[in-house]
Amino acid sequence: MAHDPPSWFDARGKVLLPEVATEGRTNLAGQVRGGGADLPVLLHDAFAFVASPTGVQVVDLATGRTVGEESARGEALRGGTEGFTLPPVLAGAEALTPFLMTTPASGTYAAGAVVEVVAVGTAAPYKAAWRTAVKLPEWALKSTKIRVAAVGALDGTAVVTVVGDDTSVTYGIDTTSHSLRWTAPGVEAVAVGTGMVTGLLDGEPLTPIPVGVDLATGSEKWRGVATYAADMESAGPVTVRVAGQLPDGSRVDQLLDVTSGRLRAAMPPGLESTTCTYDQIRTLVCASSSAVAAVDPATGQFLWSLKTGEGDRKAPKVTAVWHGRVYGQGVGGPVALDARSGADMPTKPEAAPLLVNAYVGLVLNKDLRLSSYPAGG
């Protein structure tokens, strides 16, 4: 049964996910590096699409059975944790997973590298509906660290970005013809929304430039100011957050309109060291090790904050944010807060999930394995 958002999670219906879901993802403190957003897992209804450097499994979270499995073709460019895998993305009735693969030398042609995109159907028999490969630049073979991400899919275009040691490239792939629509050299895509791809363009060393490119054509629509140590994150379908240092030495932390690059609002002060997550409805929730706060991404309005050491309440360790709910681990166990007001929800969630949808919450167990708990209303 769907609960949007869930109030609690039932450990009695626990289903264990494949080991690859957390392999190489945990630190010495038993936490997932990067949190749930970096897990190689896409939740769709009561199913999990679990990616690895070379394939994707479809797990029925009601039974724990693997009901589908597809592999990329060839040899992985990076193996194990070197090929740090990010989650698939949903494109209509398909889940898209990109893989970094090598192409062997043949005749007078040297060995190379490609990004292969495999689209697996989200309904039985959970097989590959299509797959396509795009040749990567030569720097992909030379990079000591390289990763690929499916950033999003909208209006018939899937956006895939590849980041190497000191450069990037982004591709727009037609999800109907399965062909390459456009290439944006030097762009690390971060967000997809309202006909635009927003990201960071290679500039001077450690000083990228915020840019927006047209989703359908890949043509540049706007360019911001070069920003030292720039960090960009999605803040909703029409907004991105950009933080860093401008050429004049001043610090910025801003919400930009994705269609024009214009300033929507400055982020409220005091949130510089926080990572923010959009709840997929209307609220940006920002968290650090000792504080949680919420901002309206459309206006920059500060909504609430909870900081350990101020007042009787202590900030929980936020594990997931979804559809108006903040889930985390508090001093008295798992807690859920209202994303808009910061108030404690009356029902104890029984678990602090890393990923949530209307059907399940994914919880990290003491053995550092990921389990699915059915959602309750």
Side-chain angles (χ1 to χ4, degrees):
M1 183 179 296
H3 302 280
D4 188 359
S7 296
W8 60 286
F9 303 92
D10 190 353
R12 295 171 299 179
K14 178 168 93 169
V15 166
L16 197 64
L17 269 71
E19 284 188 65
V20 71
T22 49
E23 186 178 10
R25 304 306 175 101
T26 53
N27 57 25
L28 295 176
Q31 301 168 335
V32 172
R33 294 193 298 270
D38 279 349
L39 287 172
V41 181
L42 168 68
L43 292 179
H44 178 65
D45 295 339
F47 294 85
F49 291 74
V50 184
S52 73
T54 57
V56 60
Q57 302 175 57
V58 186
V59 180
D60 184 335
L61 297 178
T63 65
R65 288 192 310 113
T66 298
V67 295
E69 191 166 2
E70 290 286 353
S71 297
R73 292 170 176 165
E75 183 178 344
L77 181 61
R78 296 287 185 268
T81 56
E82 284 185 289
F84 194 76
T85 309
L86 292 168
V89 299
L90 195 64
E94 296 157 354
L96 310 184
T97 309
F99 302 95
L100 295 171
M101 312 300 290
T102 59
T103 55
S106 177
T108 59
Y109 292 92
V114 298
V115 55
E116 181 181 352
V117 178
V118 179
V120 175
T122 57
Y126 307 104
K127 296 294 184 183
W130 57 270
R131 59 179 75 214
T132 193
V134 179
K135 182 176 175 57
L136 289 169
E138 288 187 11
W139 56 255
L141 280 174
K142 301 173 184 176
S143 294
T144 56
K145 292 182 180 180
I146 187 169
R147 62 177 174 84
V148 61
V151 182
L154 192 66
D155 300 333
T157 301
V159 177
V160 174
T161 197
V162 180
V163 180
D165 292 337
D166 54 12
T167 190
S168 308
V169 63
T170 293
Y171 301 108
I173 298 171
D174 190 309
T175 58
T176 300
S177 68
H178 318 142
S179 59
L180 179 66
R181 274 189 170 177
W182 51 264
T183 302
V187 174
E188 177 186 355
V190 173
V192 175
T194 61
M196 195 73 68
V197 181
T198 315
L200 296 171
L201 173 66
D202 295 340
E204 296 297 323
L206 299 177
T207 310
I209 304 162
V211 294
V213 301
D214 185 86
L215 176 60
T217 66
S219 60
E220 186 177 309
K221 292 298 185 181
W222 59 266
R223 180 178 292 203
V225 178
T227 305
Y228 179 75
D231 184 46
M232 178 186 285
E233 56 191 14
S234 176
V238 297
T239 312
V240 288
R241 178 193 185 194
V242 178
Q245 184 176 310
L246 296 180
D248 64 5
S250 61
R251 295 285 304 176
V252 291
D253 192 357
Q254 301 175 327
L255 297 169
L256 303 183
D257 186 290
V258 300
T259 59
S260 65
R262 293 192 182 97
L263 177 68
R264 297 179 72 90
M267 283 287 288
L271 299 180
E272 296 83 2
S273 62
T274 65
T275 298
C276 300
T277 303
Y278 182 60
D279 74 345
Q280 307 299 317
I281 297 291
R282 59 173 183 153
T283 306
L284 196 61
V285 177
C286 304
S288 66
S289 59
S290 61
V292 185
V295 177
D296 187 314
T299 64
Q301 179 189 357
F302 178 77
L303 300 175
W304 57 269
S305 69
L306 184 56
K307 188 173 184 179
T308 298
E310 294 182 357
D312 295 334
R313 301 174 73 198
K314 292 187 176 181
K317 179 186 180 301
V318 174
T319 54
V321 178
W322 192 72
H323 284 203
R325 200 66 51 91
V326 181
Y327 302 96
Q329 191 71 37
V331 289
V335 296
L337 311 180
D338 183 282
R340 207 67 187 170
S341 69
D344 284 34
M345 300 303 297
T347 302
K348 186 177 179 180
E350 306 298 338
L354 291 170
L355 284 176
V356 179
N357 72 0
Y359 295 86
V360 297
L362 300 189
V363 179
L364 190 67
N365 299 328
K366 291 181 179 179
D367 61 359
L368 304 185
R369 291 284 302 276
L370 202 63
S371 290
S372 169
Y373 289 16

